[in-house]
Amino acid sequence: MIDSKLHVLIIPAWMPKANDEAAGTFILQQAIALQRTGRVDVGWIFLDSDEVPRDKKELLKQQGIRLLVRKVSYIPKVSGMLIRRWCGRYYELYQQYVARHGIPDLIHAHSYVAGFAAAYISEQTGLPFVLTEHSTNFLNNSIRRLQAASVRTTLDQAAWIIAVGGELAKALEHWTTHEIDQIPNPIDPDIFYHDPAIQKANDFTLVAVGSLIPRKRMHLILEAMHLLPDEQIRFICIGNGPERKRLEKLSRKYGLQGRVTWHRFLPSREIARVLRQSHLLVSTSERETFGIVVAEAMMCGTPVLCTASGGPEEFVTPGCGRVVPVTAPVAEIAATIKEMITNYGQYQPEVNAAQTAAQFSQDKVMQRIIDGYQHVLTTAP
């Protein structure tokens, strides 16, 4: 160990990139939270065919995280042979990391593709590795057929498997005989918190945060607004992605363009500010493994309306919001928004924020993870 601390090497499946600045931000936040505990020296290696924005690399370095990121030619991970070729590249990067920063105590991979590389490095070195799974592919039953054997082998080799949500944990049970622990993504209470002095916007304001991709189904929010012409509703959409032009076109079709504000990407502190000033966070996603945006809104004391997409329904209670079925028609979503506007005074932001922080604040989540690391190291063969 280095300086009597655990030396943990993180391998993420995603990092932010120019066309998707939100990709993997929850993994960055967890790495920073680990480093800030003072009990872990965090390393980070990452290979991708896209360039990682300089500001994201600098953010990690400023936190004292030992970073080694390389841009490489794309290798499709669609067969065992190609996966091992890609893993060989990662092993080379691992060796460069060790030459600079020493041998880590263990590896923590985030999602199964990064797990392929962690398992390969573990085979070569004997280091144990931990896997945290975030991917909706397990919920959607959309793991590629040619990756299935590698997924099973990776999960079976992991010393500890974490799922960020209960539905995801159940889905993973079909892929391995190992027990699956459930630990949520951590949320920074210094960023996401309730401030009673904040004034809400004059018009009832909906907010949604996330990549603009089909799975998020943001069009349902616009369609619900169209069904509520008598309500003074505004909508703030924070995110970017291939659905952006379609959504803008839809807002024009419904005559909503003057009531919709679009933000391509905002830093966490700005997102938190918007959440505090808005009346209702809406998540109409088809699938979520956790639903971190929903939890962040609740920590800000903002009520939520979400679909039972696999994650949020585990922690959203009637006192802090409403959950509707994933199959709910847009008329039901609109009716729920109207009901929440009518009964808005029933929500208690201070209580809801405190209860959510008790579940998801960084200190509590980091303690569970570090305890798990210690268990892995004391029980490893």
Side-chain angles (χ1 to χ4, degrees):
M1 297 183 190
I2 299 175
D3 299 329
S4 300
K5 297 178 184 178
L6 288 176
H7 181 182
V8 176
L9 178 62
I10 291 176
I11 305 178
W14 315 279
M15 279 192 76
K17 54 186 71 175
N19 63 351
D20 189 0
E21 293 185 75
T25 52
F26 46 86
I27 307 174
L28 269 71
Q29 291 162 1
Q30 184 171 132
I32 292 170
L34 271 174
Q35 185 73 18
R36 286 178 175 172
T37 65
R39 300 170 58 192
V40 180
D41 278 318
V42 177
W44 180 290
I45 61 175
F46 183 68
L47 291 178
D48 198 43
S49 55
D50 290 318
E51 192 71 52
V52 175
R54 180 178 296 179
D55 64 318
K56 302 304 179 187
K57 292 187 282 189
E58 287 302 316
L59 173 64
L60 291 171
K61 289 179 181 178
Q62 289 168 5
Q63 298 295 325
I65 293 172
R66 301 156 184 200
L67 187 69
L68 198 53
V69 174
R70 292 283 185 269
K71 182 179 178 182
V72 296
S73 57
Y74 177 67
I75 298 177
K77 294 167 279 296
V78 295
S79 70
M81 181 186 71
L82 289 171
I83 287 171
R84 289 189 72 82
R85 181 179 170 191
W86 180 76
C87 290
R89 292 270 188 93
Y90 250 111
Y91 183 56
E92 292 173 4
L93 187 64
Y94 166 80
Q95 290 176 309
Q96 295 173 34
Y97 176 89
V98 168
R100 295 185 185 187
H101 304 298
I103 300 172
D105 296 304
L106 57 79
I107 299 168
H108 191 158
H110 284 267
S111 204
Y112 65 95
V113 175
F116 296 159
Y120 185 88
I121 295 169
S122 178
E123 288 176 0
Q124 310 306 313
T125 64
L127 286 176
F129 77 95
V130 173
L131 176 66
T132 294
E133 192 50 73
H134 308 264
S135 178
T136 57
N137 287 347
F138 291 96
L139 297 179
N140 298 333
N141 196 28
S142 57
I143 300 292
R144 292 180 175 178
R145 181 178 59 83
L146 293 175
Q147 289 182 335
S150 297
V151 171
R152 293 185 188 281
T153 299
T154 296
L155 291 171
D156 285 342
Q157 287 182 221
W160 184 29
I161 302 172
I162 302 166
V164 295
E167 287 298 312
L168 180 59
K170 291 177 184 177
L172 287 172
E173 291 174 354
H174 298 290
W175 290 85
T176 181
T177 57
H178 285 346
E179 290 187 7
I180 314 296
D181 276 347
Q182 183 181 340
I183 300 179
N185 289 318
I187 300 173
D188 189 343
D190 291 332
I191 296 176
F192 296 94
Y193 56 87
H194 172 60
D195 183 351
I198 293 293
Q199 295 294 314
K200 298 288 187 183
N202 291 330
D203 291 337
F204 194 90
T205 302
L206 313 179
V207 59
V209 185
S211 298
L212 305 187
I213 56 178
R215 174 170 61 85
K216 299 292 185 178
R217 305 191 306 173
M218 298 267 190
H219 65 281
L220 294 176
I221 302 173
L222 297 172
E223 291 173 5
M225 289 177 66
H226 178 59
L227 295 180
L228 296 169
D230 296 331
E231 302 291 342
Q232 294 297 312
I233 299 175
R234 296 187 63 83
F235 175 37
I236 300 173
C237 181
I238 303 172
N240 196 18
E243 289 279 281
R244 175 68 177 264
K245 289 184 178 179
R246 175 178 173 245
L247 293 170
E248 290 178 338
K249 183 178 179 180
L250 192 63
S251 72
R252 291 192 295 271
K253 174 185 175 181
Y254 291 147
L256 300 173
Q257 58 267 41
R259 295 161 60 191
V260 180
T261 301
W262 306 93
H263 294 287
R264 290 188 177 275
F265 180 77
L266 292 176
S268 294
R269 290 190 183 278
E270 283 298 298
I271 291 174
R273 180 186 62 79
V274 174
L275 288 174
R276 283 189 284 269
Q277 292 176 340
S278 300
H279 293 83
L280 182 65
L281 181 283
V282 183
S283 172
T284 50
S285 183
E286 186 174 29
R287 281 293 187 186
E288 292 292 337
T289 54
F290 172 50
I292 192 167
V293 173
V294 176
E296 287 171 346
M298 290 165 58
M299 280 183 64
C300 290
T302 301
V304 300
L305 165 59
C306 64
T307 48
S309 52
E313 65 268 30
E314 294 184 1
F315 55 84
V316 175
T317 65
C320 60
R322 295 287 302 277
V323 180
V324 297
V326 167
T327 56
V330 67
E332 182 176 347
I333 295 171
T336 305
I337 292 172
K338 185 169 184 177
E339 181 267 327
M340 294 183 77
I341 293 173
T342 302
N343 299 308
Y344 197 76
Q346 74 179 12
Y347 301 108
Q348 299 178 293
E350 296 90 348
V351 174
N352 295 333
Q355 290 177 345
T356 310
Q359 296 180 73
F360 305 128
S361 64
Q362 286 181 344
D363 289 348
K364 295 182 179 297
V365 176
M366 290 304 100
Q367 183 63 56
R368 292 184 64 188
I369 290 175
I370 293 172
D371 287 348
Y373 289 161
Q374 296 284 7
H375 179 74
V376 166
L377 291 173
T378 55
T379 58

